[in-house]
Each structure stands twice: as structure tokens, then as C-alpha cells.
Amino acid sequence: MLNRWNVLPMMTAALLLTITIPGSLAWAQVSGQTDAPRLTLKGYDPVAYFTEGRPTLGKSEFERDWDEARYRFASAQHMTLFRAEPDRYAPQFAGSCAAGMSMGMKVEANPENWLIHDGRLFVFRSPAAQALFQADRQGTAAAGYANWEKLKDAPIGTKLTQ
């Protein structure tokens, strides 16, 4: 016979299952898992580095998914420019720190630390990482590209073993 003393544990168990079973809507909301691509450059507009000469936050109404990443733009015009030439405007190493990549580490960059080298956008974790890159732009970029082939599918925080 059901009474409130044996119904309450069943309701609690059902609620816990809804929250913790992977694949449920509740699980995706609690864990932050979604099918949406990751937001590149923390929402900064990649085109603005070239056209405005500075980091500019994009707007959610101007979004474009490209190469398994989501980009935001400050205007429809910037989004159109990106659509026409995404390889020109997308940050190198999918927005990971270029100096870290040159040392075999995939670390998140701060989009406020950046430079354009050989017509390409590079972002860095810190001003010190940016200075390291500037000391030997060609060599650091080349090392970064070599390591990118090994790290591009790895999660942030991955480091190559020597």
C-alpha cells in the first residue's frame, strides 16, 4: 500500500535520476553540455582586429558557425566579410595561445592580447606570451603550426610530452 512515507523516497529517486542520467535534458543543463560549437575568442569579433585595429565584442545576433567553432561579429558587415574569407579572419590555432602552441601546450588565450603577423591573427594568454612570440615571430609561428597538427583535436590544457 502506498502512503506518503514510501512515495517520498520514490519521488526523490525519480528526481535524482532525471538530473543525473546522461542524455537527459536536465543533465545537459546541469553539466553545461550542449551540442553547440564552442564560442571562439570569448565572443570577440575576429574581423574587427583587421578592420578596427582592436578587439571588439561581437553580438549574439551576428553569429556564424565555421570549422566546428562559433564566431560572433560586431556587425552584419563583419559577418559577411568572414563568410567570404573565413581563413583570412579566423584566429590561428582556433584561438588558442600562439606562444603556448609553439611550446606544445594548448592553452586558452585572452583575446585582448593579440597581433597580426603575415596577415594572420594570433592571440595570446598574456602580454608575456605575446612578447615571447614577437621576439621570434617566424620561428615561434612555425613551431606553433607544427604542434597544432598534434594538438588541434585535444582539449584545452593538453601538453605534448617531450
Side-chain angles (χ1 to χ4, degrees):
M1 177 161 100
L2 291 177
N3 63 41
R4 67 179 166 175
W5 299 113
N6 57 16
V7 171
L8 185 59
M10 287 189 299
M11 290 178 61
T12 303
L15 179 61
L16 287 174
L17 286 174
T18 305
I19 293 172
T20 59
I21 293 176
S24 74
L25 177 60
W27 171 260
Q29 291 171 343
V30 169
S31 69
Q33 292 179 348
T34 65
D35 291 334
R38 73 173 178 76
L39 185 61
T40 303
L41 295 173
K42 297 182 181 180
Y44 281 79
D45 178 345
V47 177
Y49 292 95
F50 295 89
T51 61
E52 310 296 321
R54 63 184 173 85
T56 304
L57 278 172
K59 299 176 183 173
S60 60
E61 62 263 28
F62 303 119
E63 286 187 349
R64 166 102 169 119
D65 291 353
W66 179 76
D67 199 24
E68 299 181 27
R70 177 160 293 158
Y71 292 86
R72 283 193 180 157
F73 306 93
S75 67
Q77 179 187 13
H78 283 192
M79 189 167 64
T80 300
L81 288 169
F82 186 88
R83 280 184 178 160
E85 296 181 89
D87 285 322
R88 176 180 177 194
Y89 296 109
Q92 301 305 286
F93 316 122
S96 296
C97 176
M101 190 61 60
S102 73
M103 294 182 280
M105 298 180 295
K106 189 173 184 181
V107 294
E108 188 170 7
N110 176 345
E112 296 279 338
N113 302 308
W114 64 281
L115 64 81
I116 295 174
H117 168 66
D118 282 345
R120 301 288 180 196
L121 174 62
F122 293 86
V123 289
F124 306 92
R125 181 179 191 159
S126 66
Q130 184 176 351
L132 177 72
F133 184 92
Q134 286 178 301
D136 178 13
R137 291 178 181 212
Q138 295 295 88
T140 308
Y145 289 124
N147 289 332
W148 178 243
E149 290 306 312
K150 300 169 197 152
L151 289 169
K152 65 182 171 186
D153 295 324
I156 293 288
T158 301
K159 181 177 180 179
L160 295 175
T161 56
Q162 303 297 344

